[in-house]
Amino acid sequence: MTDDEEFAEFAQAHAERLRTTAYMMCRDWHLAQDLTQTALTRLFLSWRRAVQADNLVAYAQKILLRAYLDHRRRRSSSESVPGVLYEPAYRHHPDLRLTMLDALGHLPARDRAIVILRYFEDLSVEQVAEVLEVPAGVVKSQTRRSLAKLREMLGADQPALFA
């Protein structure tokens, strides 16, 4: 199998998950698609080095996270898209999902990334520390603080969300 075919297979298998992760970080489906395309483009450009990684999905998530953080640093990150945005159907309690996404949106970018990578992407503390290039202790303390903030923001909805 050629490098192009390997990449195409990887991209097809993981693009939706990467886009969902991007959406949870930025809360904008159009921007999530752009960030996913940027991450996949960067991954393609470094494919020969990337396939040597122990965990190719984590490698792609790291590229996605960096693309998101780069976007947040640029001035153009304050742009907004008017109109109705597509969001996949959520089977269980869509109103609670929106409440959770809104609460996540109030966390600073790095704290949001830590929570998403730990609890939505199910990465270990060590894996998150590696992706963010911070000590594991930072991930632990920021997770604890972020979860406390989320609990405070969610109030009465907390038991249903964390059941």
Side-chain angles (χ1 to χ4, degrees), residues 3 6-11 13-14 17-18 39-40 42-44 46-64 123 127 130-131:
D3 286 347
E6 285 179 4
F7 173 78
E9 186 177 301
F10 176 85
H14 299 283
R17 181 175 177 187
L18 290 170
L40 288 173
R42 290 178 184 172
L43 181 62
F44 178 76
S46 64
W47 184 250
R48 288 193 177 169
R49 184 178 67 239
V51 293
Q52 297 172 5
D54 292 336
N55 185 343
L56 192 53
V57 175
Y59 191 94
Q61 288 173 334
K62 187 173 187 172
I63 292 171
L64 176 67
L123 297 182
Q127 289 170 318
E130 183 180 325
V131 168

PDB file of all heavy atoms in Angstrom, residues 3 6-11 13-14 17-18 39-40 42-44 46-64 123 127 130-131:
ATOM      1  N   ASP A   3       1.966   5.342   0.456  1.00  0.00           N
ATOM      2  CA  ASP A   3       1.759   6.324   1.525  1.00  0.00           C
ATOM      3  C   ASP A   3       0.442   7.064   1.351  1.00  0.00           C
ATOM      4  O   ASP A   3      -0.289   7.297   2.318  1.00  0.00           O
ATOM      5  CB  ASP A   3       2.905   7.339   1.549  1.00  0.00           C
ATOM      6  CG  ASP A   3       4.190   6.763   2.105  1.00  0.00           C
ATOM      7  OD1 ASP A   3       4.152   5.661   2.703  1.00  0.00           O
ATOM      8  OD2 ASP A   3       5.239   7.399   1.947  1.00  0.00           O
ATOM      9  N   GLU A   6      -2.385   4.803   2.416  1.00  0.00           N
ATOM     10  CA  GLU A   6      -2.408   4.663   3.875  1.00  0.00           C
ATOM     11  C   GLU A   6      -3.006   5.910   4.523  1.00  0.00           C
ATOM     12  O   GLU A   6      -3.817   5.821   5.443  1.00  0.00           O
ATOM     13  CB  GLU A   6      -0.998   4.437   4.416  1.00  0.00           C
ATOM     14  CG  GLU A   6      -0.451   3.056   4.177  1.00  0.00           C
ATOM     15  CD  GLU A   6       0.965   2.922   4.728  1.00  0.00           C
ATOM     16  OE1 GLU A   6       1.487   3.879   5.352  1.00  0.00           O
ATOM     17  OE2 GLU A   6       1.548   1.848   4.524  1.00  0.00           O
ATOM     18  N   PHE A   7      -2.574   7.073   4.053  1.00  0.00           N
ATOM     19  CA  PHE A   7      -3.107   8.317   4.611  1.00  0.00           C
ATOM     20  C   PHE A   7      -4.608   8.424   4.350  1.00  0.00           C
ATOM     21  O   PHE A   7      -5.367   8.775   5.251  1.00  0.00           O
ATOM     22  CB  PHE A   7      -2.398   9.545   4.041  1.00  0.00           C
ATOM     23  CG  PHE A   7      -3.057  10.819   4.482  1.00  0.00           C
ATOM     24  CD1 PHE A   7      -2.838  11.315   5.755  1.00  0.00           C
ATOM     25  CD2 PHE A   7      -3.932  11.496   3.651  1.00  0.00           C
ATOM     26  CE1 PHE A   7      -3.475  12.459   6.188  1.00  0.00           C
ATOM     27  CE2 PHE A   7      -4.573  12.643   4.076  1.00  0.00           C
ATOM     28  CZ  PHE A   7      -4.339  13.134   5.347  1.00  0.00           C
ATOM     29  N   ALA A   8      -5.035   8.136   3.128  1.00  0.00           N
ATOM     30  CA  ALA A   8      -6.452   8.230   2.782  1.00  0.00           C
ATOM     31  C   ALA A   8      -7.282   7.305   3.667  1.00  0.00           C
ATOM     32  O   ALA A   8      -8.375   7.678   4.138  1.00  0.00           O
ATOM     33  CB  ALA A   8      -6.670   7.894   1.312  1.00  0.00           C
ATOM     34  N   GLU A   9      -6.775   6.113   3.934  1.00  0.00           N
ATOM     35  CA  GLU A   9      -7.485   5.171   4.796  1.00  0.00           C
ATOM     36  C   GLU A   9      -7.577   5.712   6.222  1.00  0.00           C
ATOM     37  O   GLU A   9      -8.624   5.653   6.860  1.00  0.00           O
ATOM     38  CB  GLU A   9      -6.748   3.827   4.781  1.00  0.00           C
ATOM     39  CG  GLU A   9      -7.453   2.736   5.524  1.00  0.00           C
ATOM     40  CD  GLU A   9      -6.704   1.416   5.398  1.00  0.00           C
ATOM     41  OE1 GLU A   9      -6.511   0.950   4.264  1.00  0.00           O
ATOM     42  OE2 GLU A   9      -6.318   0.870   6.454  1.00  0.00           O
ATOM     43  N   PHE A  10      -6.477   6.257   6.728  1.00  0.00           N
ATOM     44  CA  PHE A  10      -6.473   6.837   8.068  1.00  0.00           C
ATOM     45  C   PHE A  10      -7.449   8.013   8.150  1.00  0.00           C
ATOM     46  O   PHE A  10      -8.241   8.109   9.080  1.00  0.00           O
ATOM     47  CB  PHE A  10      -5.066   7.303   8.460  1.00  0.00           C
ATOM     48  CG  PHE A  10      -5.039   7.993   9.791  1.00  0.00           C
ATOM     49  CD1 PHE A  10      -4.939   7.264  10.960  1.00  0.00           C
ATOM     50  CD2 PHE A  10      -5.134   9.375   9.876  1.00  0.00           C
ATOM     51  CE1 PHE A  10      -4.927   7.898  12.192  1.00  0.00           C
ATOM     52  CE2 PHE A  10      -5.133  10.022  11.103  1.00  0.00           C
ATOM     53  CZ  PHE A  10      -5.030   9.280  12.261  1.00  0.00           C
ATOM     54  N   ALA A  11      -7.358   8.902   7.172  1.00  0.00           N
ATOM     55  CA  ALA A  11      -8.217  10.096   7.178  1.00  0.00           C
ATOM     56  C   ALA A  11      -9.689   9.707   7.130  1.00  0.00           C
ATOM     57  O   ALA A  11     -10.515  10.283   7.848  1.00  0.00           O
ATOM     58  CB  ALA A  11      -7.865  11.005   6.005  1.00  0.00           C
ATOM     59  N   ALA A  13     -11.039   6.959   8.185  1.00  0.00           N
ATOM     60  CA  ALA A  13     -11.430   6.297   9.427  1.00  0.00           C
ATOM     61  C   ALA A  13     -11.533   7.258  10.613  1.00  0.00           C
ATOM     62  O   ALA A  13     -12.328   7.032  11.527  1.00  0.00           O
ATOM     63  CB  ALA A  13     -10.436   5.181   9.745  1.00  0.00           C
ATOM     64  N   HIS A  14     -10.763   8.341  10.607  1.00  0.00           N
ATOM     65  CA  HIS A  14     -10.667   9.175  11.812  1.00  0.00           C
ATOM     66  C   HIS A  14     -11.113  10.625  11.646  1.00  0.00           C
ATOM     67  O   HIS A  14     -11.129  11.368  12.629  1.00  0.00           O
ATOM     68  CB  HIS A  14      -9.229   9.140  12.341  1.00  0.00           C
ATOM     69  CG  HIS A  14      -8.796   7.761  12.726  1.00  0.00           C
ATOM     70  ND1 HIS A  14      -9.197   7.152  13.888  1.00  0.00           N
ATOM     71  CD2 HIS A  14      -8.018   6.862  12.076  1.00  0.00           C
ATOM     72  CE1 HIS A  14      -8.681   5.943  13.948  1.00  0.00           C
ATOM     73  NE2 HIS A  14      -7.963   5.735  12.847  1.00  0.00           N
ATOM     74  N   ARG A  17     -14.144  11.750  13.957  1.00  0.00           N
ATOM     75  CA  ARG A  17     -13.781  11.879  15.372  1.00  0.00           C
ATOM     76  C   ARG A  17     -12.962  13.147  15.591  1.00  0.00           C
ATOM     77  O   ARG A  17     -13.172  13.867  16.575  1.00  0.00           O
ATOM     78  CB  ARG A  17     -12.995  10.650  15.818  1.00  0.00           C
ATOM     79  CG  ARG A  17     -12.600  10.710  17.276  1.00  0.00           C
ATOM     80  CD  ARG A  17     -11.933   9.448  17.712  1.00  0.00           C
ATOM     81  NE  ARG A  17     -11.499   9.563  19.100  1.00  0.00           N
ATOM     82  CZ  ARG A  17     -10.770   8.673  19.705  1.00  0.00           C
ATOM     83  NH1 ARG A  17     -10.414   7.578  19.065  1.00  0.00           N
ATOM     84  NH2 ARG A  17     -10.398   8.847  20.942  1.00  0.00           N
ATOM     85  N   LEU A  18     -12.036  13.430  14.696  1.00  0.00           N
ATOM     86  CA  LEU A  18     -11.247  14.654  14.813  1.00  0.00           C
ATOM     87  C   LEU A  18     -12.138  15.888  14.704  1.00  0.00           C
ATOM     88  O   LEU A  18     -11.972  16.858  15.444  1.00  0.00           O
ATOM     89  CB  LEU A  18     -10.156  14.693  13.738  1.00  0.00           C
ATOM     90  CG  LEU A  18      -9.008  13.694  13.900  1.00  0.00           C
ATOM     91  CD1 LEU A  18      -8.132  13.675  12.649  1.00  0.00           C
ATOM     92  CD2 LEU A  18      -8.174  14.021  15.127  1.00  0.00           C
ATOM     93  N   ALA A  39      -5.526  20.145  10.143  1.00  0.00           N
ATOM     94  CA  ALA A  39      -4.797  19.077  10.826  1.00  0.00           C
ATOM     95  C   ALA A  39      -4.471  17.929   9.876  1.00  0.00           C
ATOM     96  O   ALA A  39      -3.350  17.403   9.884  1.00  0.00           O
ATOM     97  CB  ALA A  39      -5.608  18.567  12.014  1.00  0.00           C
ATOM     98  N   LEU A  40      -5.431  17.541   9.050  1.00  0.00           N
ATOM     99  CA  LEU A  40      -5.184  16.448   8.112  1.00  0.00           C
ATOM    100  C   LEU A  40      -4.151  16.850   7.054  1.00  0.00           C
ATOM    101  O   LEU A  40      -3.336  16.021   6.635  1.00  0.00           O
ATOM    102  CB  LEU A  40      -6.488  15.985   7.464  1.00  0.00           C
ATOM    103  CG  LEU A  40      -7.432  15.214   8.400  1.00  0.00           C
ATOM    104  CD1 LEU A  40      -8.761  14.948   7.710  1.00  0.00           C
ATOM    105  CD2 LEU A  40      -6.800  13.919   8.873  1.00  0.00           C
ATOM    106  N   ARG A  42      -1.664  19.004   7.508  1.00  0.00           N
ATOM    107  CA  ARG A  42      -0.364  18.970   8.178  1.00  0.00           C
ATOM    108  C   ARG A  42       0.094  17.528   8.407  1.00  0.00           C
ATOM    109  O   ARG A  42       1.283  17.225   8.287  1.00  0.00           O
ATOM    110  CB  ARG A  42      -0.433  19.718   9.507  1.00  0.00           C
ATOM    111  CG  ARG A  42      -0.580  21.217   9.334  1.00  0.00           C
ATOM    112  CD  ARG A  42      -0.695  21.921  10.663  1.00  0.00           C
ATOM    113  NE  ARG A  42      -0.939  23.340  10.476  1.00  0.00           N
ATOM    114  CZ  ARG A  42      -1.226  24.179  11.460  1.00  0.00           C
ATOM    115  NH1 ARG A  42      -1.277  23.744  12.713  1.00  0.00           N
ATOM    116  NH2 ARG A  42      -1.454  25.449  11.212  1.00  0.00           N
ATOM    117  N   LEU A  43      -0.862  16.661   8.746  1.00  0.00           N
ATOM    118  CA  LEU A  43      -0.527  15.252   8.935  1.00  0.00           C
ATOM    119  C   LEU A  43      -0.038  14.635   7.629  1.00  0.00           C
ATOM    120  O   LEU A  43       0.952  13.902   7.613  1.00  0.00           O
ATOM    121  CB  LEU A  43      -1.743  14.479   9.465  1.00  0.00           C
ATOM    122  CG  LEU A  43      -1.532  12.998   9.742  1.00  0.00           C
ATOM    123  CD1 LEU A  43      -0.484  12.793  10.828  1.00  0.00           C
ATOM    124  CD2 LEU A  43      -2.853  12.348  10.134  1.00  0.00           C
ATOM    125  N   PHE A  44      -0.712  14.946   6.535  1.00  0.00           N
ATOM    126  CA  PHE A  44      -0.304  14.418   5.234  1.00  0.00           C
ATOM    127  C   PHE A  44       1.114  14.869   4.875  1.00  0.00           C
ATOM    128  O   PHE A  44       1.920  14.086   4.376  1.00  0.00           O
ATOM    129  CB  PHE A  44      -1.289  14.850   4.146  1.00  0.00           C
ATOM    130  CG  PHE A  44      -0.896  14.373   2.773  1.00  0.00           C
ATOM    131  CD1 PHE A  44      -1.090  13.052   2.404  1.00  0.00           C
ATOM    132  CD2 PHE A  44      -0.324  15.242   1.862  1.00  0.00           C
ATOM    133  CE1 PHE A  44      -0.719  12.600   1.144  1.00  0.00           C
ATOM    134  CE2 PHE A  44       0.053  14.806   0.601  1.00  0.00           C
ATOM    135  CZ  PHE A  44      -0.145  13.476   0.242  1.00  0.00           C
ATOM    136  N   SER A  46       3.513  15.510   6.790  1.00  0.00           N
ATOM    137  CA  SER A  46       4.534  14.857   7.622  1.00  0.00           C
ATOM    138  C   SER A  46       4.237  13.358   7.778  1.00  0.00           C
ATOM    139  O   SER A  46       4.637  12.748   8.766  1.00  0.00           O
ATOM    140  CB  SER A  46       4.603  15.531   8.990  1.00  0.00           C
ATOM    141  OG  SER A  46       3.381  15.352   9.679  1.00  0.00           O
ATOM    142  N   TRP A  47       3.542  12.787   6.811  1.00  0.00           N
ATOM    143  CA  TRP A  47       3.049  11.411   6.928  1.00  0.00           C
ATOM    144  C   TRP A  47       4.158  10.399   7.202  1.00  0.00           C
ATOM    145  O   TRP A  47       4.015   9.525   8.047  1.00  0.00           O
ATOM    146  CB  TRP A  47       2.254  11.019   5.690  1.00  0.00           C
ATOM    147  CG  TRP A  47       1.660   9.649   5.819  1.00  0.00           C
ATOM    148  CD1 TRP A  47       2.026   8.533   5.149  1.00  0.00           C
ATOM    149  CD2 TRP A  47       0.600   9.268   6.688  1.00  0.00           C
ATOM    150  NE1 TRP A  47       1.249   7.473   5.540  1.00  0.00           N
ATOM    151  CE2 TRP A  47       0.366   7.899   6.481  1.00  0.00           C
ATOM    152  CE3 TRP A  47      -0.174   9.946   7.627  1.00  0.00           C
ATOM    153  CZ2 TRP A  47      -0.601   7.184   7.177  1.00  0.00           C
ATOM    154  CZ3 TRP A  47      -1.148   9.238   8.311  1.00  0.00           C
ATOM    155  CH2 TRP A  47      -1.351   7.886   8.088  1.00  0.00           C
ATOM    156  N   ARG A  48       5.269  10.488   6.514  1.00  0.00           N
ATOM    157  CA  ARG A  48       6.343   9.491   6.700  1.00  0.00           C
ATOM    158  C   ARG A  48       6.873   9.500   8.128  1.00  0.00           C
ATOM    159  O   ARG A  48       7.199   8.457   8.677  1.00  0.00           O
ATOM    160  CB  ARG A  48       7.463   9.727   5.704  1.00  0.00           C
ATOM    161  CG  ARG A  48       7.042   9.325   4.315  1.00  0.00           C
ATOM    162  CD  ARG A  48       8.197   9.240   3.387  1.00  0.00           C
ATOM    163  NE  ARG A  48       7.682   8.780   2.084  1.00  0.00           N
ATOM    164  CZ  ARG A  48       8.372   8.792   0.992  1.00  0.00           C
ATOM    165  NH1 ARG A  48       9.617   9.219   1.012  1.00  0.00           N
ATOM    166  NH2 ARG A  48       7.848   8.371  -0.127  1.00  0.00           N
ATOM    167  N   ARG A  49       6.971  10.668   8.725  1.00  0.00           N
ATOM    168  CA  ARG A  49       7.407  10.766  10.115  1.00  0.00           C
ATOM    169  C   ARG A  49       6.261  10.349  11.046  1.00  0.00           C
ATOM    170  O   ARG A  49       6.485   9.672  12.046  1.00  0.00           O
ATOM    171  CB  ARG A  49       7.866  12.185  10.425  1.00  0.00           C
ATOM    172  CG  ARG A  49       8.428  12.327  11.827  1.00  0.00           C
ATOM    173  CD  ARG A  49       8.938  13.731  12.127  1.00  0.00           C
ATOM    174  NE  ARG A  49       7.846  14.685  12.167  1.00  0.00           N
ATOM    175  CZ  ARG A  49       7.743  15.753  11.385  1.00  0.00           C
ATOM    176  NH1 ARG A  49       8.663  16.017  10.502  1.00  0.00           N
ATOM    177  NH2 ARG A  49       6.722  16.578  11.488  1.00  0.00           N
ATOM    178  N   ALA A  50       5.052  10.712  10.698  1.00  0.00           N
ATOM    179  CA  ALA A  50       3.902  10.442  11.554  1.00  0.00           C
ATOM    180  C   ALA A  50       3.635   8.951  11.724  1.00  0.00           C
ATOM    181  O   ALA A  50       3.294   8.505  12.822  1.00  0.00           O
ATOM    182  CB  ALA A  50       2.659  11.135  10.997  1.00  0.00           C
ATOM    183  N   VAL A  51       3.770   8.176  10.655  1.00  0.00           N
ATOM    184  CA  VAL A  51       3.444   6.747  10.752  1.00  0.00           C
ATOM    185  C   VAL A  51       4.419   6.007  11.662  1.00  0.00           C
ATOM    186  O   VAL A  51       4.140   4.880  12.071  1.00  0.00           O
ATOM    187  CB  VAL A  51       3.380   6.051   9.366  1.00  0.00           C
ATOM    188  CG1 VAL A  51       2.218   6.571   8.559  1.00  0.00           C
ATOM    189  CG2 VAL A  51       4.673   6.174   8.623  1.00  0.00           C
ATOM    190  N   GLN A  52       5.498   6.626  12.012  1.00  0.00           N
ATOM    191  CA  GLN A  52       6.448   6.010  12.938  1.00  0.00           C
ATOM    192  C   GLN A  52       6.059   6.249  14.393  1.00  0.00           C
ATOM    193  O   GLN A  52       6.650   5.658  15.297  1.00  0.00           O
ATOM    194  CB  GLN A  52       7.852   6.542  12.674  1.00  0.00           C
ATOM    195  CG  GLN A  52       8.358   6.184  11.293  1.00  0.00           C
ATOM    196  CD  GLN A  52       9.674   6.871  10.966  1.00  0.00           C
ATOM    197  OE1 GLN A  52      10.254   7.543  11.813  1.00  0.00           O
ATOM    198  NE2 GLN A  52      10.146   6.681   9.748  1.00  0.00           N
ATOM    199  N   ALA A  53       5.056   7.076  14.627  1.00  0.00           N
ATOM    200  CA  ALA A  53       4.605   7.378  15.987  1.00  0.00           C
ATOM    201  C   ALA A  53       3.955   6.147  16.605  1.00  0.00           C
ATOM    202  O   ALA A  53       3.367   5.312  15.904  1.00  0.00           O
ATOM    203  CB  ALA A  53       3.615   8.541  15.967  1.00  0.00           C
ATOM    204  N   ASP A  54       4.040   6.057  17.933  1.00  0.00           N
ATOM    205  CA  ASP A  54       3.426   4.941  18.640  1.00  0.00           C
ATOM    206  C   ASP A  54       1.909   4.947  18.509  1.00  0.00           C
ATOM    207  O   ASP A  54       1.279   3.902  18.422  1.00  0.00           O
ATOM    208  CB  ASP A  54       3.796   4.981  20.128  1.00  0.00           C
ATOM    209  CG  ASP A  54       5.267   4.705  20.362  1.00  0.00           C
ATOM    210  OD1 ASP A  54       5.894   4.053  19.507  1.00  0.00           O
ATOM    211  OD2 ASP A  54       5.788   5.138  21.406  1.00  0.00           O
ATOM    212  N   ASN A  55       1.315   6.141  18.529  1.00  0.00           N
ATOM    213  CA  ASN A  55      -0.138   6.270  18.474  1.00  0.00           C
ATOM    214  C   ASN A  55      -0.473   7.358  17.441  1.00  0.00           C
ATOM    215  O   ASN A  55      -0.414   8.543  17.740  1.00  0.00           O
ATOM    216  CB  ASN A  55      -0.677   6.634  19.853  1.00  0.00           C
ATOM    217  CG  ASN A  55      -2.190   6.667  19.897  1.00  0.00           C
ATOM    218  OD1 ASN A  55      -2.862   6.722  18.869  1.00  0.00           O
ATOM    219  ND2 ASN A  55      -2.727   6.629  21.100  1.00  0.00           N
ATOM    220  N   LEU A  56      -0.836   6.928  16.261  1.00  0.00           N
ATOM    221  CA  LEU A  56      -1.087   7.861  15.162  1.00  0.00           C
ATOM    222  C   LEU A  56      -2.299   8.744  15.426  1.00  0.00           C
ATOM    223  O   LEU A  56      -2.313   9.916  15.052  1.00  0.00           O
ATOM    224  CB  LEU A  56      -1.247   7.089  13.845  1.00  0.00           C
ATOM    225  CG  LEU A  56      -1.229   7.889  12.558  1.00  0.00           C
ATOM    226  CD1 LEU A  56       0.005   8.768  12.459  1.00  0.00           C
ATOM    227  CD2 LEU A  56      -1.291   6.951  11.365  1.00  0.00           C
ATOM    228  N   VAL A  57      -3.309   8.210  16.103  1.00  0.00           N
ATOM    229  CA  VAL A  57      -4.500   9.016  16.425  1.00  0.00           C
ATOM    230  C   VAL A  57      -4.120  10.136  17.385  1.00  0.00           C
ATOM    231  O   VAL A  57      -4.525  11.287  17.210  1.00  0.00           O
ATOM    232  CB  VAL A  57      -5.635   8.140  16.995  1.00  0.00           C
ATOM    233  CG1 VAL A  57      -6.804   8.988  17.445  1.00  0.00           C
ATOM    234  CG2 VAL A  57      -6.084   7.111  15.971  1.00  0.00           C
ATOM    235  N   ALA A  58      -3.329   9.825  18.400  1.00  0.00           N
ATOM    236  CA  ALA A  58      -2.879  10.854  19.352  1.00  0.00           C
ATOM    237  C   ALA A  58      -2.021  11.897  18.637  1.00  0.00           C
ATOM    238  O   ALA A  58      -2.109  13.092  18.938  1.00  0.00           O
ATOM    239  CB  ALA A  58      -2.101  10.217  20.492  1.00  0.00           C
ATOM    240  N   TYR A  59      -1.214  11.457  17.691  1.00  0.00           N
ATOM    241  CA  TYR A  59      -0.389  12.368  16.898  1.00  0.00           C
ATOM    242  C   TYR A  59      -1.295  13.335  16.126  1.00  0.00           C
ATOM    243  O   TYR A  59      -1.057  14.552  16.117  1.00  0.00           O
ATOM    244  CB  TYR A  59       0.474  11.543  15.944  1.00  0.00           C
ATOM    245  CG  TYR A  59       1.564  12.293  15.232  1.00  0.00           C
ATOM    246  CD1 TYR A  59       2.856  12.334  15.742  1.00  0.00           C
ATOM    247  CD2 TYR A  59       1.332  12.939  14.019  1.00  0.00           C
ATOM    248  CE1 TYR A  59       3.877  12.993  15.078  1.00  0.00           C
ATOM    249  CE2 TYR A  59       2.344  13.610  13.351  1.00  0.00           C
ATOM    250  CZ  TYR A  59       3.613  13.630  13.887  1.00  0.00           C
ATOM    251  OH  TYR A  59       4.612  14.294  13.218  1.00  0.00           O
ATOM    252  N   ALA A  60      -2.348  12.812  15.522  1.00  0.00           N
ATOM    253  CA  ALA A  60      -3.295  13.645  14.770  1.00  0.00           C
ATOM    254  C   ALA A  60      -4.036  14.602  15.708  1.00  0.00           C
ATOM    255  O   ALA A  60      -4.275  15.764  15.360  1.00  0.00           O
ATOM    256  CB  ALA A  60      -4.278  12.768  14.006  1.00  0.00           C
ATOM    257  N   GLN A  61      -4.401  14.131  16.894  1.00  0.00           N
ATOM    258  CA  GLN A  61      -5.085  14.993  17.856  1.00  0.00           C
ATOM    259  C   GLN A  61      -4.177  16.129  18.312  1.00  0.00           C
ATOM    260  O   GLN A  61      -4.636  17.256  18.519  1.00  0.00           O
ATOM    261  CB  GLN A  61      -5.552  14.181  19.063  1.00  0.00           C
ATOM    262  CG  GLN A  61      -6.715  13.278  18.759  1.00  0.00           C
ATOM    263  CD  GLN A  61      -7.044  12.364  19.911  1.00  0.00           C
ATOM    264  OE1 GLN A  61      -6.195  12.040  20.733  1.00  0.00           O
ATOM    265  NE2 GLN A  61      -8.281  11.929  19.964  1.00  0.00           N
ATOM    266  N   LYS A  62      -2.896  15.838  18.451  1.00  0.00           N
ATOM    267  CA  LYS A  62      -1.946  16.880  18.844  1.00  0.00           C
ATOM    268  C   LYS A  62      -1.859  17.948  17.757  1.00  0.00           C
ATOM    269  O   LYS A  62      -1.847  19.144  18.052  1.00  0.00           O
ATOM    270  CB  LYS A  62      -0.576  16.255  19.104  1.00  0.00           C
ATOM    271  CG  LYS A  62       0.442  17.205  19.665  1.00  0.00           C
ATOM    272  CD  LYS A  62       1.705  16.453  20.036  1.00  0.00           C
ATOM    273  CE  LYS A  62       2.671  17.342  20.764  1.00  0.00           C
ATOM    274  NZ  LYS A  62       3.823  16.589  21.287  1.00  0.00           N
ATOM    275  N   ILE A  63      -1.826  17.521  16.508  1.00  0.00           N
ATOM    276  CA  ILE A  63      -1.808  18.470  15.395  1.00  0.00           C
ATOM    277  C   ILE A  63      -3.093  19.299  15.409  1.00  0.00           C
ATOM    278  O   ILE A  63      -3.057  20.522  15.226  1.00  0.00           O
ATOM    279  CB  ILE A  63      -1.645  17.733  14.055  1.00  0.00           C
ATOM    280  CG1 ILE A  63      -0.254  17.098  13.965  1.00  0.00           C
ATOM    281  CG2 ILE A  63      -1.867  18.685  12.879  1.00  0.00           C
ATOM    282  CD1 ILE A  63      -0.074  16.178  12.768  1.00  0.00           C
ATOM    283  N   LEU A  64      -4.229  18.651  15.643  1.00  0.00           N
ATOM    284  CA  LEU A  64      -5.518  19.347  15.700  1.00  0.00           C
ATOM    285  C   LEU A  64      -5.526  20.370  16.831  1.00  0.00           C
ATOM    286  O   LEU A  64      -5.954  21.521  16.643  1.00  0.00           O
ATOM    287  CB  LEU A  64      -6.657  18.343  15.877  1.00  0.00           C
ATOM    288  CG  LEU A  64      -8.045  18.922  16.036  1.00  0.00           C
ATOM    289  CD1 LEU A  64      -8.489  19.596  14.735  1.00  0.00           C
ATOM    290  CD2 LEU A  64      -9.035  17.835  16.427  1.00  0.00           C
ATOM    291  N   LEU A 123      -8.220  10.118  27.061  1.00  0.00           N
ATOM    292  CA  LEU A 123      -6.770  10.008  27.155  1.00  0.00           C
ATOM    293  C   LEU A 123      -6.357  10.017  28.624  1.00  0.00           C
ATOM    294  O   LEU A 123      -7.027  10.618  29.469  1.00  0.00           O
ATOM    295  CB  LEU A 123      -6.078  11.166  26.438  1.00  0.00           C
ATOM    296  CG  LEU A 123      -6.294  11.291  24.932  1.00  0.00           C
ATOM    297  CD1 LEU A 123      -5.488  12.462  24.385  1.00  0.00           C
ATOM    298  CD2 LEU A 123      -5.932  10.019  24.207  1.00  0.00           C
ATOM    299  N   GLN A 127      -0.918  11.016  28.678  1.00  0.00           N
ATOM    300  CA  GLN A 127      -1.114  11.283  27.252  1.00  0.00           C
ATOM    301  C   GLN A 127      -1.481  12.741  27.014  1.00  0.00           C
ATOM    302  O   GLN A 127      -0.987  13.373  26.076  1.00  0.00           O
ATOM    303  CB  GLN A 127      -2.197  10.365  26.683  1.00  0.00           C
ATOM    304  CG  GLN A 127      -1.772   8.917  26.579  1.00  0.00           C
ATOM    305  CD  GLN A 127      -2.933   8.010  26.236  1.00  0.00           C
ATOM    306  OE1 GLN A 127      -4.039   8.158  26.756  1.00  0.00           O
ATOM    307  NE2 GLN A 127      -2.686   7.054  25.353  1.00  0.00           N
ATOM    308  N   GLU A 130       1.537  14.851  27.417  1.00  0.00           N
ATOM    309  CA  GLU A 130       2.407  14.747  26.238  1.00  0.00           C
ATOM    310  C   GLU A 130       1.868  15.595  25.085  1.00  0.00           C
ATOM    311  O   GLU A 130       2.619  16.312  24.427  1.00  0.00           O
ATOM    312  CB  GLU A 130       2.505  13.290  25.799  1.00  0.00           C
ATOM    313  CG  GLU A 130       3.441  13.069  24.640  1.00  0.00           C
ATOM    314  CD  GLU A 130       3.510  11.610  24.225  1.00  0.00           C
ATOM    315  OE1 GLU A 130       3.430  10.729  25.100  1.00  0.00           O
ATOM    316  OE2 GLU A 130       3.643  11.366  23.014  1.00  0.00           O
ATOM    317  N   VAL A 131       0.566  15.521  24.849  1.00  0.00           N
ATOM    318  CA  VAL A 131      -0.038  16.291  23.759  1.00  0.00           C
ATOM    319  C   VAL A 131       0.143  17.786  23.983  1.00  0.00           C
ATOM    320  O   VAL A 131       0.487  18.528  23.071  1.00  0.00           O
ATOM    321  CB  VAL A 131      -1.542  15.949  23.608  1.00  0.00           C
ATOM    322  CG1 VAL A 131      -2.249  16.936  22.704  1.00  0.00           C
ATOM    323  CG2 VAL A 131      -1.722  14.529  23.084  1.00  0.00           C
TER     324      VAL A 131
END
